[in-house]
Amino acid sequence: MTVRAVLLSLVSFLFLFPASPVFALLPYLASETAVTVDRGKSKLDIGFQADRWDGSLSTYALKAELTSGLINNLDFSVYVPYLFRMSKGAEDEDGLGDLTLKAKVRFIKGREATPVSIAGQLTVKFPSCDDNKALSQECTGEPDVGIRAIASKEFFPVTVHLNFGYVFIGNPPNDTLDDILTYSLAFDYLTVADRLHVLGELAGETNRYPKSTNGSLTNNTSANPLAALVGLLYDVDVNKALSLASSFGLTNASPDYSVSVGFRYFF
C-alpha cells in the first residue's frame, strides 16, 4: 500500500469521528490562504495546540486536516481535532470535537503582473461531538455554517493574507449563542535562510456568547476574542514543513497564551 493510500485511509477513518469549529491554516489561529491545492494533489496538516487561560484552565487540541485539490482552483478539506480540557476544581475532560468540512474556490489567481489571489470559502461544522463530554465551549451540539473572503498578495519575500468571515452559529435550546464576524491579517516572511519562514498574525472575532447569566446583552468589547501570533515555519523539503508558534491574548476572551507545533505534508 502506498503512503498516499495509507494517509487517505487514516483520514477516512478520522472522518467518522467529530471535530472542533476552528478554521485556519496551521499554524495560524484563524487565517487561510487564497491559494488552493493543485488538482490531483493532497495536503495533510497535523498539529498540537496548548492554551492557558487565567491560571486555572488549560485546553489542548490535537488537530488533523486533509485537503485535496478536486479541480483547478477548487479544493476540499476535512478537519478533525481531539480536545482536552483541564480546570482546577473540576474533572478533566477529553473527547473528539466537531467535524468540519471546508470547500475553497479561488476566483482570481495571482500572476506576476497582479500578484493577488482572491478566494471564497464555505465551512460546515457538524454537531458530532461526544454528548457525554462537557466540552461546552468547543461542542455546542448544533451545526454551524461559515463563509469567508480571502485575499493573498505576495510582496517577495513577504506574503500577506487578509481574511473576513461570518459564521452562522446554530443555537442550542437555551439560545445563548450569537452569530460571529471573524477577521484576521497574517504574513509569511521568507528569510535569507531560504527554507525558514517567519510568521505573524492578528486574529479576532465578535463574541459568540454575548448574553450574561440574566439574559441581558453585554457591551464589553473585551469579551471579543483577539490574539496576536508569532511563529516559525521550516521547509524540510519541497513536500514537508515543520512549524512552531506562540500566541498571546489581547482581550479577556482569549487565552492568556498558546503554543503550537505542526507538520505539513504534500503528496
Side-chain angles (χ1 to χ4, degrees), residues 14 21 23 39 62 71 87-88 100 108 118 125 139-140 161 200 211 214 227:
L14 289 174
F23 320 124
R39 181 180 63 178
L62 179 62
I71 58 175
S87 179
K88 290 183 178 178
T100 300
I108 299 176
I118 304 293
K125 186 211 76 174
C139 306
T140 62
H161 308 291
K211 297 180 180 178
N214 62 9

Side-chain angles (χ1 to χ4, degrees), residues 66-146:
L66 177 68
T67 304
S68 294
L70 300 182
I71 58 175
N72 290 334
N73 301 315
L74 172 65
D75 64 29
F76 180 80
S77 302
V78 180
Y79 172 77
V80 179
Y82 194 91
L83 308 172
F84 304 84
R85 187 179 180 88
M86 301 178 183
S87 179
K88 290 183 178 178
E91 184 179 353
D92 294 344
E93 302 164 11
D94 68 275
L96 286 156
D98 288 326
L99 174 70
T100 300
L101 304 182
K102 301 188 286 186
K104 180 165 58 180
V105 179
R106 180 169 56 182
F107 300 111
I108 299 176
K109 183 178 181 179
R111 304 183 185 279
E112 185 175 352
T114 55
V116 180
S117 292
I118 304 293
Q121 187 178 61
L122 173 68
T123 63
V124 181
K125 186 211 76 174
F126 293 91
S128 50
C129 186
D130 187 349
D131 292 336
N132 295 323
K133 305 294 183 182
L135 298 166
S136 59
Q137 297 288 322
E138 296 83 2
C139 306
T140 62
E142 295 289 330
D144 299 340
V145 176

Side-chain angles (χ1 to χ4, degrees), residues 206-223:
T206 56
N207 187 12
R208 72 179 65 197
Y209 298 91
K211 297 180 180 178
S212 63
T213 54
N214 62 9
S216 61
L217 292 177
T218 60
N219 295 316
N220 184 3
T221 56
S222 66

Side-chain angles (χ1 to χ4, degrees), residues 149-264:
I150 309 167
S152 296
K153 181 173 177 61
E154 182 177 345
F155 308 86
F156 187 82
V158 179
T159 302
V160 178
H161 308 291
L162 179 63
N163 287 210
F164 286 100
Y166 192 87
V167 183
F168 300 90
I169 301 294
N171 279 330
N174 56 3
D175 193 28
T176 58
L177 306 181
D178 202 358
D179 296 342
I180 61 174
L181 176 69
T182 65
Y183 54 91
S184 66
L185 177 65
F187 73 85
D188 179 326
Y189 171 66
L190 179 60
T191 68
V192 292
D194 192 29
R195 292 186 177 186
L196 183 65
H197 303 244
V198 175
L199 309 176
E201 182 188 28
L202 182 66
E205 64 179 47
T206 56
N207 187 12
R208 72 179 65 197
Y209 298 91
K211 297 180 180 178
S212 63
T213 54
N214 62 9
S216 61
L217 292 177
T218 60
N219 295 316
N220 184 3
T221 56
S222 66
N224 295 334
L226 179 65
L229 173 142
V230 292
L232 298 173
L233 185 142
Y234 179 73
D235 294 317
V236 178
D237 57 34
V238 69
N239 294 320
K240 305 180 191 68
L242 299 172
S243 63
L244 173 65
S246 179
S247 64
F248 307 91
L250 303 179
T251 63
N252 294 334
S254 304
D256 291 342
Y257 63 88
S258 302
V259 177
S260 66
V261 293
F263 171 72
R264 176 170 300 141

Side-chain angles (χ1 to χ4, degrees), residues 31-48:
S31 297
E32 289 273 2
T33 174
V35 178
T36 54
V37 173
D38 293 338
R39 181 180 63 178
K41 301 292 185 180
S42 295
K43 173 173 68 76
L44 178 66
D45 284 297
I46 298 175
F48 179 79

